[in-house]
PDB file of all heavy atoms in Angstrom:
ATOM      1  N   ALA A 383     -27.088 -43.953-176.940  1.00  0.00           N
ATOM      2  CA  ALA A 383     -27.862 -45.067-177.498  1.00  0.00           C
ATOM      3  C   ALA A 383     -26.965 -45.989-178.319  1.00  0.00           C
ATOM      4  O   ALA A 383     -27.119 -47.215-178.286  1.00  0.00           O
ATOM      5  CB  ALA A 383     -29.008 -44.540-178.359  1.00  0.00           C
ATOM      6  N   ALA A 384     -26.012 -45.401-179.037  1.00  0.00           N
ATOM      7  CA  ALA A 384     -25.081 -46.204-179.841  1.00  0.00           C
ATOM      8  C   ALA A 384     -24.200 -47.059-178.942  1.00  0.00           C
ATOM      9  O   ALA A 384     -23.948 -48.236-179.232  1.00  0.00           O
ATOM     10  CB  ALA A 384     -24.235 -45.286-180.713  1.00  0.00           C
ATOM     11  N   TYR A 385     -23.749 -46.489-177.842  1.00  0.00           N
ATOM     12  CA  TYR A 385     -22.928 -47.261-176.906  1.00  0.00           C
ATOM     13  C   TYR A 385     -23.760 -48.341-176.207  1.00  0.00           C
ATOM     14  O   TYR A 385     -23.244 -49.421-175.896  1.00  0.00           O
ATOM     15  CB  TYR A 385     -22.261 -46.334-175.889  1.00  0.00           C
ATOM     16  CG  TYR A 385     -20.932 -45.789-176.362  1.00  0.00           C
ATOM     17  CD1 TYR A 385     -20.854 -44.557-177.014  1.00  0.00           C
ATOM     18  CD2 TYR A 385     -19.759 -46.504-176.180  1.00  0.00           C
ATOM     19  CE1 TYR A 385     -19.647 -44.059-177.465  1.00  0.00           C
ATOM     20  CE2 TYR A 385     -18.544 -46.018-176.623  1.00  0.00           C
ATOM     21  CZ  TYR A 385     -18.494 -44.798-177.266  1.00  0.00           C
ATOM     22  OH  TYR A 385     -17.281 -44.319-177.724  1.00  0.00           O
ATOM     23  N   GLU A 386     -25.028 -48.058-175.973  1.00  0.00           N
ATOM     24  CA  GLU A 386     -25.900 -49.086-175.403  1.00  0.00           C
ATOM     25  C   GLU A 386     -26.049 -50.239-176.391  1.00  0.00           C
ATOM     26  O   GLU A 386     -26.070 -51.417-175.994  1.00  0.00           O
ATOM     27  CB  GLU A 386     -27.281 -48.490-175.075  1.00  0.00           C
ATOM     28  CG  GLU A 386     -27.296 -47.565-173.865  1.00  0.00           C
ATOM     29  CD  GLU A 386     -27.067 -48.299-172.555  1.00  0.00           C
ATOM     30  OE1 GLU A 386     -27.179 -49.553-172.528  1.00  0.00           O
ATOM     31  OE2 GLU A 386     -26.774 -47.638-171.540  1.00  0.00           O
ATOM     32  N   GLN A 387     -26.153 -49.916-177.678  1.00  0.00           N
ATOM     33  CA  GLN A 387     -26.221 -50.971-178.681  1.00  0.00           C
ATOM     34  C   GLN A 387     -24.940 -51.799-178.683  1.00  0.00           C
ATOM     35  O   GLN A 387     -24.989 -53.025-178.796  1.00  0.00           O
ATOM     36  CB  GLN A 387     -26.455 -50.375-180.072  1.00  0.00           C
ATOM     37  CG  GLN A 387     -26.522 -51.452-181.164  1.00  0.00           C
ATOM     38  CD  GLN A 387     -26.804 -50.900-182.541  1.00  0.00           C
ATOM     39  OE1 GLN A 387     -27.447 -49.853-182.685  1.00  0.00           O
ATOM     40  NE2 GLN A 387     -26.328 -51.590-183.575  1.00  0.00           N
ATOM     41  N   ALA A 388     -23.802 -51.109-178.534  1.00  0.00           N
ATOM     42  CA  ALA A 388     -22.533 -51.830-178.481  1.00  0.00           C
ATOM     43  C   ALA A 388     -22.498 -52.783-177.284  1.00  0.00           C
ATOM     44  O   ALA A 388     -21.991 -53.906-177.379  1.00  0.00           O
ATOM     45  CB  ALA A 388     -21.373 -50.843-178.406  1.00  0.00           C
ATOM     46  N   LEU A 389     -23.053 -52.353-176.164  1.00  0.00           N
ATOM     47  CA  LEU A 389     -23.097 -53.216-174.994  1.00  0.00           C
ATOM     48  C   LEU A 389     -23.939 -54.464-175.269  1.00  0.00           C
ATOM     49  O   LEU A 389     -23.601 -55.568-174.840  1.00  0.00           O
ATOM     50  CB  LEU A 389     -23.668 -52.445-173.796  1.00  0.00           C
ATOM     51  CG  LEU A 389     -22.714 -51.465-173.101  1.00  0.00           C
ATOM     52  CD1 LEU A 389     -23.475 -50.536-172.181  1.00  0.00           C
ATOM     53  CD2 LEU A 389     -21.644 -52.243-172.329  1.00  0.00           C
ATOM     54  N   ARG A 390     -25.028 -54.264-176.012  1.00  0.00           N
ATOM     55  CA  ARG A 390     -25.872 -55.416-176.362  1.00  0.00           C
ATOM     56  C   ARG A 390     -25.180 -56.323-177.373  1.00  0.00           C
ATOM     57  O   ARG A 390     -25.313 -57.544-177.329  1.00  0.00           O
ATOM     58  CB  ARG A 390     -27.215 -54.933-176.912  1.00  0.00           C
ATOM     59  CG  ARG A 390     -28.108 -54.230-175.896  1.00  0.00           C
ATOM     60  CD  ARG A 390     -29.514 -54.040-176.424  1.00  0.00           C
ATOM     61  NE  ARG A 390     -29.543 -53.193-177.622  1.00  0.00           N
ATOM     62  CZ  ARG A 390     -29.644 -51.865-177.596  1.00  0.00           C
ATOM     63  NH1 ARG A 390     -29.734 -51.233-176.419  1.00  0.00           N
ATOM     64  NH2 ARG A 390     -29.684 -51.170-178.710  1.00  0.00           N
ATOM     65  N   ASP A 391     -24.450 -55.709-178.302  1.00  0.00           N
ATOM     66  CA  ASP A 391     -23.771 -56.483-179.342  1.00  0.00           C
ATOM     67  C   ASP A 391     -22.644 -57.351-178.775  1.00  0.00           C
ATOM     68  O   ASP A 391     -22.315 -58.393-179.339  1.00  0.00           O
ATOM     69  CB  ASP A 391     -23.168 -55.544-180.405  1.00  0.00           C
ATOM     70  CG  ASP A 391     -24.221 -54.850-181.237  1.00  0.00           C
ATOM     71  OD1 ASP A 391     -25.391 -55.285-181.209  1.00  0.00           O
ATOM     72  OD2 ASP A 391     -23.867 -53.860-181.924  1.00  0.00           O
ATOM     73  N   LYS A 392     -22.029 -56.865-177.697  1.00  0.00           N
ATOM     74  CA  LYS A 392     -20.868 -57.538-177.108  1.00  0.00           C
ATOM     75  C   LYS A 392     -19.770 -57.819-178.148  1.00  0.00           C
ATOM     76  O   LYS A 392     -19.344 -58.960-178.345  1.00  0.00           O
ATOM     77  CB  LYS A 392     -21.305 -58.843-176.428  1.00  0.00           C
ATOM     78  CG  LYS A 392     -22.277 -58.637-175.283  1.00  0.00           C
ATOM     79  CD  LYS A 392     -22.686 -59.955-174.644  1.00  0.00           C
ATOM     80  CE  LYS A 392     -23.668 -59.729-173.503  1.00  0.00           C
ATOM     81  NZ  LYS A 392     -24.106 -61.000-172.860  1.00  0.00           N
ATOM     82  N   PRO A 393     -19.292 -56.763-178.834  1.00  0.00           N
ATOM     83  CA  PRO A 393     -18.248 -56.954-179.841  1.00  0.00           C
ATOM     84  C   PRO A 393     -16.897 -57.199-179.172  1.00  0.00           C
ATOM     85  O   PRO A 393     -16.778 -57.127-177.939  1.00  0.00           O
ATOM     86  CB  PRO A 393     -18.247 -55.617-180.588  1.00  0.00           C
ATOM     87  CG  PRO A 393     -18.616 -54.627-179.516  1.00  0.00           C
ATOM     88  CD  PRO A 393     -19.634 -55.350-178.660  1.00  0.00           C
ATOM     89  N   ASP A 394     -15.909 -57.468-179.981  1.00  0.00           N
ATOM     90  CA  ASP A 394     -14.559 -57.660-179.441  1.00  0.00           C
ATOM     91  C   ASP A 394     -13.891 -56.326-179.127  1.00  0.00           C
ATOM     92  O   ASP A 394     -12.921 -56.284-178.363  1.00  0.00           O
ATOM     93  CB  ASP A 394     -13.709 -58.446-180.438  1.00  0.00           C
ATOM     94  CG  ASP A 394     -14.231 -59.864-180.627  1.00  0.00           C
ATOM     95  OD1 ASP A 394     -14.177 -60.635-179.654  1.00  0.00           O
ATOM     96  OD2 ASP A 394     -14.703 -60.185-181.729  1.00  0.00           O
ATOM     97  N   ALA A 395     -14.398 -55.237-179.713  1.00  0.00           N
ATOM     98  CA  ALA A 395     -13.853 -53.904-179.445  1.00  0.00           C
ATOM     99  C   ALA A 395     -14.840 -52.853-179.938  1.00  0.00           C
ATOM    100  O   ALA A 395     -15.710 -53.140-180.771  1.00  0.00           O
ATOM    101  CB  ALA A 395     -12.499 -53.719-180.132  1.00  0.00           C
ATOM    102  N   VAL A 396     -14.697 -51.637-179.410  1.00  0.00           N
ATOM    103  CA  VAL A 396     -15.505 -50.493-179.840  1.00  0.00           C
ATOM    104  C   VAL A 396     -14.557 -49.365-180.236  1.00  0.00           C
ATOM    105  O   VAL A 396     -13.574 -49.099-179.527  1.00  0.00           O
ATOM    106  CB  VAL A 396     -16.452 -50.003-178.719  1.00  0.00           C
ATOM    107  CG1 VAL A 396     -17.201 -48.749-179.147  1.00  0.00           C
ATOM    108  CG2 VAL A 396     -17.432 -51.100-178.329  1.00  0.00           C
TER     109      VAL A 396
END
Side-chain angles (χ1 to χ4, degrees):
Y385 272 93
E386 287 291 345
Q387 180 178 332
L389 283 166
R390 293 192 298 272
D391 291 345
K392 298 180 180 179
D394 295 294
V396 176

